[in-house]
Amino acid sequence: MAIEHDYFGVIDETASGGLAWGDTVELADQPVEVDLLADDESAVGEYALDAAAALIQALEGFDARARDALIAELSSRQSATTNYIDEHVDKLGESLLDLLVYNSGDIAIDVLRSLQLLAVTVQADQAGEDEVFATFDYSISPDETDAILTVSFDVRGDVVAVDTQS
């Protein structure tokens, strides 16, 4: 059975009994894939769908909050953000400079400001306070590397984790 919502319209049921909806939205002249998923349709409430719609409509603000969280991680040498930057500085060398949208001389900040937001995934069935409700996936160059820097939010819109994936 599908669910209908004012923002999403009809959200299709998956073969396994979950939900799936997807769209491409523009953020600063850049396409971003947005997916709403749920493994269990019965666990998706109106509140979660409303929160997901609000997040998508305020994508620019959430992107800014995610980037602020990444900047805050720079103070820790062991953070996922610092490791991601160090890995790409080592891997790409001088060619990294060609990927930077900003070039202030502070390579860490310039990399973070130049990250591309590739995808946003909302887990509509994870609307509990201690669960990851949405993830924002970033890359410095999706054509050059498979490494992704992921910022996770809870349903209240608070950043709960920053991780890397290869």
Side-chain angles (χ1 to χ4, degrees):
M1 187 168 119
I3 292 179
E4 191 167 344
H5 185 266
D6 290 340
Y7 178 81
F8 299 104
V10 175
I11 304 171
D12 295 322
E13 182 178 14
T14 64
S16 62
L19 295 174
W21 174 91
D23 197 8
T24 301
V25 298
E26 291 290 321
L27 179 67
D29 298 327
Q30 172 188 330
V32 177
E33 294 297 318
V34 178
D35 292 307
L36 175 88
L37 305 172
D39 292 332
D40 180 6
E41 177 183 350
S42 65
V44 178
E46 190 72 21
Y47 171 75
L49 293 175
D50 291 344
L55 182 142
I56 295 166
Q57 291 172 326
L59 201 56
E60 188 173 327
F62 277 92
D63 176 53
R65 291 168 70 185
R67 290 174 191 270
D68 287 346
L70 295 173
I71 290 169
E73 281 215 330
L74 292 176
S75 62
S76 171
R77 290 294 312 151
Q78 301 305 315
S79 72
T81 303
T82 302
N83 290 336
Y84 181 90
I85 292 168
D86 290 347
E87 174 186 327
H88 285 83
V89 167
D90 291 344
K91 180 179 179 181
L92 299 173
E94 291 294 317
S95 66
L96 178 64
L97 297 176
D98 297 333
L99 301 174
L100 299 179
V101 176
Y102 302 96
N103 193 350
S104 69
D106 183 339
I107 195 73
I109 294 294
D110 293 342
V111 166
L112 294 181
R113 292 176 74 193
S114 300
L115 288 173
Q116 297 176 44
L117 177 58
L118 304 176
V120 174
T121 304
V122 179
Q123 290 294 138
D125 57 346
Q126 295 185 18
E129 290 185 16
D130 296 331
E131 296 178 298
V132 172
F133 182 67
T135 56
F136 284 54
D137 294 337
Y138 294 90
S139 176
I140 187 62
S141 177
D143 297 332
E144 301 285 328
T145 179
D146 292 332
I148 301 291
L149 194 54
T150 300
V151 179
S152 301
F153 289 90
D154 64 14
V155 73
R156 293 181 310 260
D158 296 327
V159 174
V160 293
V162 175
D163 299 301
T164 56
Q165 304 169 16
S166 296

